[in-house]
Amino acid sequence: MALPDIKEKWTYKINEVTIGAIEQEGGTRGKTITVGGQTTLPLLSFEGNIPNKPVVAGYIANAVPDWPDTILKGIGDEVKSPVEWAQKSVQEFKVDLLSIKLIGADPHGKNATAEECAKTVSDVLKAVDVPLIIWGCGDDEKDSLVLQACAEAAKGENCLIGSAKESNYRTIVALCMANKHKIISEAPVDINIGKQVNILLRDIGYNLNDVIMFQTTAALGYGFDYVYTISERARIAGLKGDALMALPQICDVGGEVFRVKEAVADEDALPGWGALEKRGPMWEAVCAGNYLQAGADIVIMAHPVAIKNIRQAIDKLF
Amino acid sequence: MILIGERINAGFKDIKEAIMNKDGDTIKNWAKIQADAKATYIDVNMGTASKDPATLCWMIEQVQSVTDLPISIDNNKADILKEAIPVCNKPPIVNSTTAEAAKLDLLLPIVAEHGASIIGLSMDEEGSPPNAEKRVENAGKIFEKIMEYGIPPEHLFLDPIVMPLKFKQEQAAAIMEATAQFKFFSDPPCHIVCGLSNISIGAKHKKLINRIFCTMLIANGLDAVILDITDKELVDAILTAELFMNKQIYADSYIEAFGS
């Protein structure tokens, strides 16, 4: 008797989402990036197809992030200029696309105006030709202005805009539909809310084929396992036929990792933990690698050493 | 949950008349209503209105002219199935066979040839099963045969044979017990289906009885049902039961999401 076939038989396909628009599509990008389209779990290519490899989005911002000097030094002086940071990320760090976080708009920080943010987005788009992900500063009220201005400035570029939550999804849908962008749907480490936001988006007529899910991201050691299981469960539900969960996923690894002590405290504070110069990027790489295994399609990363490691892992394993 | 819409059945007067009068509109209308209500399959039954395979083929064509949904061919005659299955645009479910060896040997080669699925009733030449053990024994016979014909378990829908609550009250527990045991025939398991409305035959509170029994069967492993898909309270109860079984991820608007 032949050995029974114990391969998992998935019935559904994860949506394929393309970010960026080249000239013929009304944009100015030199290339587009497509994620999703899988019919199997990550790495298990013997059970289905993985037509698009996961991608690395380079983290950039319109203000210098509150990260230790050791980490900022790894990136270089360019962190002070979003345009130069963007160029270096593309040319030297070899990222597939860019993710700009407009933290400079934070009313409690630099409080950059919506117009200033839009100008930064335009400048970045002119300086590099990879697709762009645009995030607000995290303050809903300010972000409604900031994202509106940025979406208009990037009109036709098919950017990925972050993020639509239960509290603001109508605004985000309106500005994305008007300016031809795609949406990141966000939930606060809660798979039920994650599904609910997708229902809300679909109910007001937004096509879920143009949405990427963000379950929020936790750094290794700080709720990582919660997010890992959510991402994995969402992916399994999607592959089993839950159309509301069959969406690609994004993880903001760089934005989270350099907030936890293991990745930011130097050896003076943590004797025996090894040099921060190495430990910081290692923490980021390990965290990103694990999210790729959970079902992340886009990982946002900051440190060039971590980016290089993850690129190699993706090239070898996917 | 696999929801098989039961309405295009010559047991209903309007369908019987539609078959007699070659009135495609009535059949199309019911196909559309059931598709809009989110059926997974549309059952097509010509009952005693005709014995001509061409009639069944015509009915299937009417359904397929208004929906892409796959068909559940409610017929167990080999010569009719041989003509009706090729008319289906998508692999259909054959509804149904019993555990009788002669019948299985007649129908399963046709099912295997077309990559179709089949509903296996857990009854044999002796008739309706009196208890859970006999149901499991009959289901086992069907399972063995589908393996023999190379039909994968996911193409088999085992039916525990639902009997009316009003007349066979002691059977409900046996049906649930058998359902629970069908799950263990293979991994991944075959589907488990039932003709739900049998449970409420002759009863006064039909819809309530259907709804409650369906959720109890889901708790025991039922994952497909032949039902009145337009009974919204029933469908809502099924969606909710699936959450209890952790088959679907909860979201506040899970009912609305199903309908949209």
Side-chain angles (χ1 to χ4, degrees), chain A residues 9 191-192 195-196 199 202-203 233 237 242 244, chain B residues 154 246 248-254 256-257 260:
Chain A
K9 286 173 189 148
I191 197 165
N192 308 117
K195 185 167 178 174
Q196 179 70 6
I199 294 173
R202 193 177 70 176
D203 279 359
R233 194 168 161 221
D242 186 342
L244 292 157
Chain B
E154 61 266 29
N246 203 15
Q248 297 290 336
I249 294 170
Y250 176 87
D252 283 344
S253 303
Y254 72 93
E256 297 84 344
S260 66

Side-chain angles (χ1 to χ4, degrees), chain B:
Chain B
M1 197 78 181
I2 297 169
L3 305 171
I4 306 169
E6 68 181 9
R7 190 54 178 73
I8 302 179
N9 185 317
F12 291 98
K13 200 167 160 243
D14 60 344
I15 300 295
K16 190 170 187 178
E17 282 173 7
I19 296 169
M20 303 291 208
N21 304 329
K22 280 263 169 186
D23 157 26
D25 288 345
T26 302
I27 289 167
K28 283 183 202 163
N29 188 39
W30 272 112
K32 206 168 168 323
I33 290 170
Q34 295 183 100
D36 289 347
K38 305 278 173 178
T40 324
Y41 283 86
I42 305 287
D43 191 75
V44 175
N45 174 311
M46 64 178 176
T48 54
S50 170
K51 284 181 181 162
D52 184 359
T55 306
L56 191 57
C57 294
W58 170 78
M59 291 174 76
I60 292 169
E61 281 161 358
Q62 300 309 303
V63 173
Q64 292 184 150
S65 71
V66 292
T67 172
D68 293 334
L69 290 178
I71 306 291
S72 156
I73 307 177
D74 204 341
N75 196 288
N76 60 9
K77 305 272 186 305
D79 55 328
I80 292 179
L81 291 170
K82 272 183 197 160
E83 295 199 31
I85 295 177
V87 174
C88 296
N89 294 336
K90 289 182 178 168
I93 299 178
V94 170
N95 178 11
S96 57
T97 178
T98 62
E100 293 164 77
K103 201 167 222 176
L104 290 164
D105 286 329
L106 204 56
L107 298 183
L108 294 186
I110 307 170
V111 169
E113 184 194 339
H114 294 279
S117 297
I118 186 159
I119 293 177
L121 307 174
S122 55
M123 57 190 280
D124 57 11
E125 49 275 32
E126 292 168 25
S128 299
N131 51 35
E133 289 73 20
K134 188 68 182 165
R135 285 177 165 89
V136 174
E137 184 190 322
N138 286 336
K141 284 185 198 163
I142 298 170
F143 199 86
E144 207 182 322
K145 279 283 184 188
I146 67 140
M147 299 302 279
E148 206 176 287
Y149 283 99
I151 297 169
E154 61 266 29
H155 285 187
L156 173 64
F157 290 69
L158 284 175
D159 184 329
I161 306 290
V162 171
M163 297 174 184
L165 177 72
K166 183 171 175 178
F167 309 114
K168 296 261 184 188
Q169 207 174 334
E170 77 291 350
Q171 287 294 322
I175 295 163
M176 286 189 277
E177 198 184 325
T179 301
Q181 292 192 38
F182 289 174
K183 276 189 301 196
F184 300 115
F185 281 148
S186 67
D187 182 20
C190 60
H191 297 289
I192 305 173
V193 68
C194 76
L196 183 63
S197 39
N198 286 348
I199 193 70
S200 60
I201 288 173
K204 183 179 168 195
H205 299 292
K206 282 191 165 63
K207 286 192 170 184
L208 178 67
I209 290 168
N210 289 345
R211 192 157 75 230
I212 299 290
F213 192 57
C214 192
T215 59
M216 292 173 87
L217 285 178
I218 289 170
N220 282 284
L222 189 87
D223 73 338
V225 58
I226 304 170
L227 80 171
D228 172 7
I229 188 79
T230 64
D231 180 348
K232 188 174 181 321
E233 284 183 307
L234 169 61
V235 172
D236 289 353
I238 289 171
L239 296 175
T240 309
E242 287 225 287
L243 295 176
F244 284 116
M245 295 303 285
N246 203 15
K247 292 268 183 76
Q248 297 290 336
I249 294 170
Y250 176 87
D252 283 344
S253 303
Y254 72 93
I255 296 287
E256 297 84 344
F258 178 78
S260 66

